[in-house]
Amino acid sequence: MTSIASVTLEVADPAAAERFLTTAFGLGDQVRLRASEAPSTGFRGFTLSLVVSQPANVDALVDSAVDAGAATLKPAAKSLWGYGGVVQAPDGTIWQVASSSKKDTGPAARQIDEIVLLLGVEDVKAGKQFYVDHGLAVAKSFGSKYVEFATGSGPVKLALYKRRGLAKLVGVSPDGTGSHRLTVDSDAGTFTDPDGFAWATASENASL
């Protein structure tokens, strides 16, 4: 089963981005950083979601992100599916923090249960087939709207969503040009998907 070891974000200032990730979320090797000045404007076509167990943990992570310099795109609030909020890091990466629970069961903690990379694509069915052809197994699929892949014990999960729907979900315009400024580090090999998202072998990318 394909496993995603980490994602690499391309940022203008890796040291500043690392300080943000550590201070805001306490993240380590799951998110790597690489210096880049690749042209990129507007929505980069992806989000990173931090899935937690309760609303208090959502608030704790959102608050620490804002204190570390993030901008609030959607304040944390209840919804049909649970509780969550959206922030944008100083480097431009959009982070969703969410819990399927609407009630707290314990004291607040900055404990992250899952990291989900959500790629915004033009054609979910075509993207699904591309990734199946590259060895990924489908875990959940909702027609042409959403697909989630089984990525084993790797620390990062993968899902596809319609690009316009994803932009609406996080409260930004779907318009954007240039680099995604993202590389997915896995054991699936080196390739680029139909929407321009780059994948690299984890061991190779770690040495860059």
Side-chain angles (χ1 to χ4, degrees):
M1 182 178 291
T2 295
S3 174
I4 299 175
S6 60
V7 296
T8 296
L9 301 176
E10 297 178 356
V11 299
D13 187 339
E18 183 174 9
R19 283 195 300 272
F20 172 81
L21 291 175
T22 302
T23 303
F25 305 133
L27 291 175
D29 290 342
Q30 307 99 319
V31 180
R32 298 177 180 275
L33 300 164
R34 182 165 60 223
S36 174
E37 297 291 343
S40 182
T41 63
F43 184 43
R44 295 181 190 166
F46 75 93
T47 68
L48 284 163
S49 294
L50 304 178
V51 181
V52 301
S53 62
Q54 61 178 1
N57 294 8
V58 172
D59 290 335
L61 287 164
V62 168
D63 289 348
S64 64
V66 172
D67 288 345
T72 301
L73 296 180
K74 283 193 172 182
K78 287 183 179 179
S79 67
L80 290 174
W81 48 264
Y83 185 86
V86 184
V87 297
Q88 186 166 27
D91 63 75
T93 304
I94 295 174
W95 293 85
Q96 300 181 69
V97 187
S99 172
S100 59
S101 174
K102 297 181 182 180
K103 293 185 178 180
D104 292 325
T105 56
R110 292 198 309 159
Q111 181 176 343
I112 297 166
D113 298 330
E114 271 189 349
I115 302 173
V116 182
L117 171 61
L118 198 49
L119 302 181
V121 301
E122 292 300 326
D123 187 329
V124 172
K125 284 187 176 180
K128 171 185 172 182
Q129 189 59 53
F130 176 87
Y131 280 109
V132 168
D133 290 344
H134 280 75
L136 277 76
V138 174
K140 298 178 185 176
S141 182
F142 299 94
S144 60
K145 294 185 177 181
Y146 176 85
V147 60
E148 186 178 305
F149 296 96
T151 48
S153 59
V156 182
K157 309 301 180 185
L158 175 70
L160 306 182
Y161 202 93
K162 288 281 288 185
R163 180 185 170 98
R164 286 189 171 276
L166 181 57
K168 183 178 180 179
L169 182 67
V170 297
V172 299
S173 166
D175 298 329
T177 61
S179 172
H180 294 298
R181 288 199 174 190
L182 171 76
T183 302
V184 185
D185 312 317
S186 80
D187 54 8
T190 300
F191 57 86
T192 301
D193 82 359
D195 293 271
F197 290 103
W199 286 60
T201 301
S203 59
E204 292 177 355
N205 211 33
S207 65
L208 293 177

